[in-house]
Amino acid sequence: MHFAFTDQQVEFRDAVRTVLAKECTTDDLRSAFDHPVARTPRWAALAGLGVVGLSVPEAQGGLGLGLVDLVPLLEEAGKVGLPEPLVETAALAAPLLAEVGGAGPAGDAVAGWLAGIADGRIAVAVASGPGAAPVAGADGADLLVLLAPGDDGGPEVHLVASPAVTVTPVGSLDPTRRLGLPQWVPNPATRVASGPTAASAVRRTADRAAVATAAELLGLTERMISMAAAYAKERHQFGRPIGGFQAVKHLLAGAQVKLEFARPVVYGAAWSIDEVEPTSSRAASTAKAYASDAATEAARVSLQVHGAIGYTWECDLHLFLKRTWALSEAWGSAADHRALVLASLVQG
Amino acid sequence: MDIPMDLRFTADQEAFRRDARSWLEAHAPAPRSLPSLDTAEGFEAHRAWEQAMFDDRWSVVSWPEEFGGRGVGILEWLIFEEEYWRVQAPLRVSQNGVFLLAPTMFEFGTEQQKGRFLPAMASGREIWCQGWSEPDAGSDLAGIRSRAVRSEADDGWFLTGQKTWASRGAFAEWCFGLFRTDPETERHRGLTYFLIEMDSPGVTVRPIPQIDGETGFAEIFFEDVFVPDTQVLGGVGKGWNVAMATAGSERGLSLRSPARYTEAAGRLVALYAGLQADQPDRAARSADSVAQAWMDAEAYRLNTLWTATRVLDGGSVGPEASANKIHWSETDLAIHRAALGLLGPAAELHGGDVDAPWLDGYLFALAGPIYAGTNEIQRNVVAERMLGLPRG
């Protein structure tokens, strides 16, 4: 039992934090409203550090590491509101492709995609489930991964390169998280996995998506609480900083307690996925439910503590509120995951 | 540290678990078979259980062997607690001593004090209560007025004042309490931490019936009660610092192990599953609260392992202890409220031949956000010391 990150993992996180503090300011987020690009110089910088290809096998130029290694970096991405599809590319597509890999020409194609992820040439969007639903980052992605039932109803994994897909942009609240509706038809040529391989890939991708999104939500939660705490120290009413009033303190303390307890839940879930523990899906659902609730509570109270200024376009807070609201519902809401947790407990 | 993250216990730790399990399965009284520890009869029955554990060195596994423990670490203690709650062994009548005073005594006590008090505490021969709160010093603990006056001639102190809400005060043999030893000082300064024998001349105990009708706590009146210098813990005038160490234990790792909640959460899920089979519609209406309560207990377990690792690696527990106390007290409430929701009209049944573990547990849980420093005080600590907000 040693429930902590290694020194190396902490150093990697600190390096990513330093780069993102410079490369992903709130001014950068605002400029992304008007000039959306999937692969920015920032993406190249992250790829250069090894972040994008972290889960890509070493044979394809990646670091061959796991979700435990990636989670602290995703927290940093959440903290700055990183617009690029790091969850989809690094946390979902890379380990999925590595797992379905295989031999022959199909395997070579997968290896090619993995190499492209590792060197920062490829951004990926991941669509889950049947039916046409908007997909984050689909517009501008180089590769689409589709997890959907095949003709026989069994799970399948499909890959489609961007030229073969038409993506219709869909309006969304968070201008830095662009949604698109991909139109394409799954066919035997796009299929890379079916049967038990696909079933496992689909389940593990859903678990990774829950935990990776939860990790970004941890970072967002910390950012919103720290913005509100800073404001509460600076803003004076009745001749004193509003942060001195218990009514304000207790709002922020409540959110902070939720954050403190969400962290180990997310870290433990990442570990259980890497170790393929039998309870990893339940752990992933617990992580997503906990992190979504912590983040939505932090969003609520940080807006309240900011007061009217927090409700303006000018104040940076909304950049993080909107991402929080989007990610809280993405890959299963807190309520969805509570239902999954309970079903798994009752089944034993 | 370069040890990769690992949430599995070692083979040695699992062997320790098997030893604990087999001893507890052979010796622990059946669940809820002892009379309530808040009755004279139940108090003695619980004391006998403490003695039985002590005799086989299971009462304080993490203490050094010379004081009756096994000298094992915090992770083994958590494993022991999992096994303890797994068999639903009795509540620890010695908890104020072994979980609160003992960690403080290990840190601040003299060798003489440790030798004199710890084994007697661990065997249940001497049960301790806590003399902190006063009628006008509850959440505002630094408002303590009970005082101690030094007598050079007697090598000791004479204590006068009133303490209240002392859990197990009605039956305890010893009390650890905070008294003002310097009348010129105010607030946190000039307080001293005393160890007081309850049958000393001048001590009067008035039991207070609790919300469940039993005498769980008491008022304690001190009238020129003599306490020798050897029963000052941590130095004259150092009482606040010493007390904050106790409070850290109370809110942090040692008072409430996660097993208490994960075991109850497991029973909650079983209760839910039973109702789901009989009355699926009613069960469905409680599903969300059952899942949340189970997750709250699981989060507490994981956070404890996270914190324990930090402590084992040389770190410390600071204001996180306040976050911890908020979480465990609210988790206990969430579990029991969810259970009462599942029971529905049967939730109110109590007394006579009815065994009402969920209602009893709920009444107990209701005190959680109040004792060990109210959750409002803990939120102030979190806001001021974790988020840097100004003191009010």
Side-chain angles (χ1 to χ4, degrees):
Chain A
M1 174 68 64
H2 195 263
F3 191 16
F5 292 107
T6 62
D7 290 345
Q8 213 174 7
Q9 286 163 337
V10 171
E11 281 162 22
F12 199 179
R13 180 200 68 193
D14 291 347
V16 170
R17 178 180 295 174
T18 304
V19 167
L20 289 177
K22 202 158 77 70
E23 303 290 336
C24 194
T25 64
T26 53
D27 284 343
D28 293 325
L29 294 180
R30 286 174 186 274
S31 73
F33 292 179
D34 307 319
H35 309 286
V37 199
R39 282 180 285 101
T40 55
R42 186 168 49 228
W43 187 250
L46 288 171
L49 280 172
V51 177
V52 180
L54 184 135
S55 319
V56 171
E58 287 174 279
Q60 278 87 43
L63 299 179
L65 299 174
L67 195 53
V68 168
D69 301 279
L70 189 56
V71 153
L73 315 182
L74 293 170
E75 276 187 79
E76 297 304 317
K79 214 181 284 178
V80 297
L82 185 78
E84 288 79 21
L86 188 61
V87 164
E88 291 79 357
T89 306
L92 306 187
L96 172 95
L97 294 175
E99 279 178 9
V100 301
D108 291 344
V110 167
W113 288 121
L114 283 166
I117 289 172
D119 64 22
R121 282 180 291 114
I122 304 293
V124 189
V126 180
S128 176
V135 175
D139 186 12
D142 305 281
L143 175 69
L144 267 105
V145 175
L146 179 72
L147 311 171
D151 293 337
D152 63 354
E156 292 182 353
V157 179
H158 294 261
L159 299 185
V160 188
S162 56
V165 189
T166 311
V167 177
T168 313
V170 177
S172 71
L173 180 65
D174 177 358
T176 63
R177 180 183 148 89
R178 288 156 41 89
L179 300 181
L181 205 54
Q183 283 168 307
W184 57 297
V185 183
N187 59 71
T190 59
R191 188 173 61 215
V192 292
S194 58
T197 309
S200 163
V202 167
R203 184 178 49 76
R204 283 178 67 69
T205 300
D207 292 346
R208 286 197 187 95
V211 174
T213 308
E216 285 206 334
L217 285 164
L218 293 180
L220 284 158
T221 303
E222 183 181 335
R223 178 66 174 263
M224 292 184 290
I225 292 173
S226 80
M227 288 176 83
Y231 182 75
K233 282 181 248 187
E234 177 186 297
R235 168 71 175 167
H236 282 62
Q237 286 288 270
F238 305 99
R240 53 194 281 209
I242 61 169
F245 295 109
Q246 279 196 340
V248 172
K249 282 182 180 173
H250 288 192
L251 285 178
L252 292 172
Q256 179 68 22
V257 172
K258 284 182 183 291
L259 172 60
E260 287 288 311
F261 280 83
R263 277 200 180 108
V265 172
V266 175
Y267 304 156
W271 176 84
S272 74
I273 288 173
D274 282 350
E275 297 294 317
V276 202
E277 290 281 300
T279 53
S280 58
S281 291
R282 186 195 300 163
S285 284
T286 305
K288 182 60 165 63
Y290 240 72
S292 292
D293 279 346
T296 47
E297 177 66 0
R300 182 185 77 84
V301 306
S302 61
L303 175 56
Q304 186 67 21
V305 168
H306 275 82
I309 192 78
Y311 198 72
T312 64
W313 191 261
E314 179 194 355
C315 176
D316 287 335
L317 183 66
H318 71 100
L319 303 173
F320 305 99
L321 297 177
K322 289 169 180 171
R323 184 67 62 80
T324 296
W325 295 325
L327 294 187
S328 298
E329 306 303 322
W331 299 103
S333 69
D336 292 334
H337 283 289
R338 278 192 292 271
L340 290 170
V341 166
L342 191 56
S344 117
L345 287 169
V346 170
Q347 283 160 13
Chain B
M1 287 285 161
D2 285 331
I3 308 167
M5 186 180 289
D6 187 359
L7 275 82
R8 292 185 200 94
F9 290 110
T10 63
D12 283 352
Q13 287 166 337
E14 291 300 343
F16 175 84
R17 179 194 297 282
R18 285 192 296 278
D19 287 350
R21 179 172 296 187
S22 64
W23 189 87
L24 286 163
E25 285 180 346
H27 294 86
R32 300 172 58 77
S33 61
L34 301 187
S36 162
L37 65 80
D38 293 333
T39 62
E41 180 200 7
F43 198 82
E44 292 311 315
H46 282 76
R47 189 201 299 278
W49 164 240
E50 295 289 332
Q51 180 74 53
M53 283 200 289
F54 181 74
D55 289 345
D56 289 340
R57 289 195 304 125
W58 288 110
S59 76
V60 285
V61 293
S62 60
W63 291 16
E65 295 187 16
E66 59 176 310
F67 301 119
R70 290 172 177 253
V72 298
I74 189 170
L75 295 173
E76 287 78 5
W77 176 71
L78 291 168
I79 290 168
F80 173 79
E81 286 280 306
E82 287 181 3
E83 296 304 315
Y84 193 88
W85 289 97
R86 180 179 165 272
V87 297
Q88 296 186 60
L91 295 172
R92 300 293 299 269
V93 68
S94 61
Q95 67 166 338
N96 291 70
V98 297
F99 294 149
L100 303 183
L101 177 57
T104 311
M105 196 172 272
F106 279 119
E107 189 174 348
F108 295 98
T110 63
E111 290 310 307
Q112 186 273 336
Q113 287 173 331
K114 287 188 252 183
R116 162 63 189 83
F117 292 112
L118 292 172
M121 179 192 297
S123 67
R125 202 162 67 245
E126 292 175 348
I127 309 267
W128 289 77
C129 66
Q130 186 173 0
W132 286 20
S133 293
E134 298 182 2
D136 290 320
S139 286
D140 186 10
L141 185 62
I144 280 174
R145 288 195 210 156
S146 292
R147 63 187 193 278
V149 179
R150 170 95 180 126
S151 166
E152 287 289 343
D154 297 298
D155 289 329
W157 299 79
F158 286 91
L159 277 50
T160 300
Q162 181 187 354
K163 296 293 179 178
T164 192
W165 319 132
S167 293
R168 283 156 290 283
F171 307 110
E173 280 84 21
W174 283 82
C175 173
F176 55 93
L178 279 178
F179 289 76
R180 195 164 292 286
T181 42
D182 184 347
E184 302 299 310
T185 60
E186 289 187 343
R187 307 294 299 162
H188 310 82
R189 287 172 291 278
L191 296 172
T192 299
Y193 200 110
F194 286 100
L195 311 174
I196 310 146
E197 198 160 9
M198 293 290 278
D199 68 359
S200 306
V203 174
T204 307
V205 175
R206 193 161 72 195
I208 305 173
Q210 291 185 329
I211 200 167
D212 59 1
E214 289 173 356
T215 50
F217 45 37
E219 285 180 296
I220 309 172
F221 298 89
F222 299 84
E223 217 172 318
D224 284 331
V225 175
F226 178 71
V227 176
D229 287 335
T230 52
Q231 287 166 216
V232 167
L233 185 64
V236 174
K238 302 280 171 52
W240 187 261
N241 277 345
V242 183
M244 286 307 102
T246 307
S249 299
E250 201 171 15
R251 297 162 191 168
L253 279 179
S254 73
L255 181 65
R256 295 284 180 253
S257 76
R260 181 189 196 103
Y261 307 114
T262 52
E263 188 278 330
R267 278 187 289 121
L268 175 68
V269 169
L271 186 68
Y272 168 83
L275 186 69
Q276 198 186 32
D278 293 344
Q279 299 180 53
D281 289 350
R282 275 204 50 228
R285 290 192 283 275
S286 284
D288 212 47
S289 64
V290 171
Q292 185 65 46
W294 182 89
M295 293 194 308
D296 288 343
E298 175 68 357
Y300 187 51
R301 184 182 75 84
L302 289 162
N303 190 61
T304 299
L305 293 171
W306 182 255
T307 306
T309 301
R310 192 172 75 235
V311 169
L312 288 169
D313 288 348
S316 59
V317 182
E320 302 87 1
S322 290
N324 204 54
K325 196 259 161 169
I326 292 168
H327 186 85
W328 62 246
S329 57
E330 293 187 346
T331 295
D332 204 14
L333 274 175
I335 292 169
H336 288 88
R337 261 200 308 256
L340 297 184
L342 292 171
L343 290 174
E348 67 173 311
L349 300 179
H350 198 248
D353 292 336
V354 175
D355 185 29
W358 291 112
L359 190 53
D360 286 343
Y362 182 60
L363 291 175
F364 184 84
L366 284 169
I370 302 170
Y371 65 76
T374 61
N375 284 10
E376 286 66 36
I377 294 295
Q378 309 310 327
R379 288 193 178 89
N380 290 350
V381 174
V382 169
E384 290 164 12
R385 292 183 52 204
M386 296 183 84
L387 300 176
L389 295 184
R391 289 177 180 275

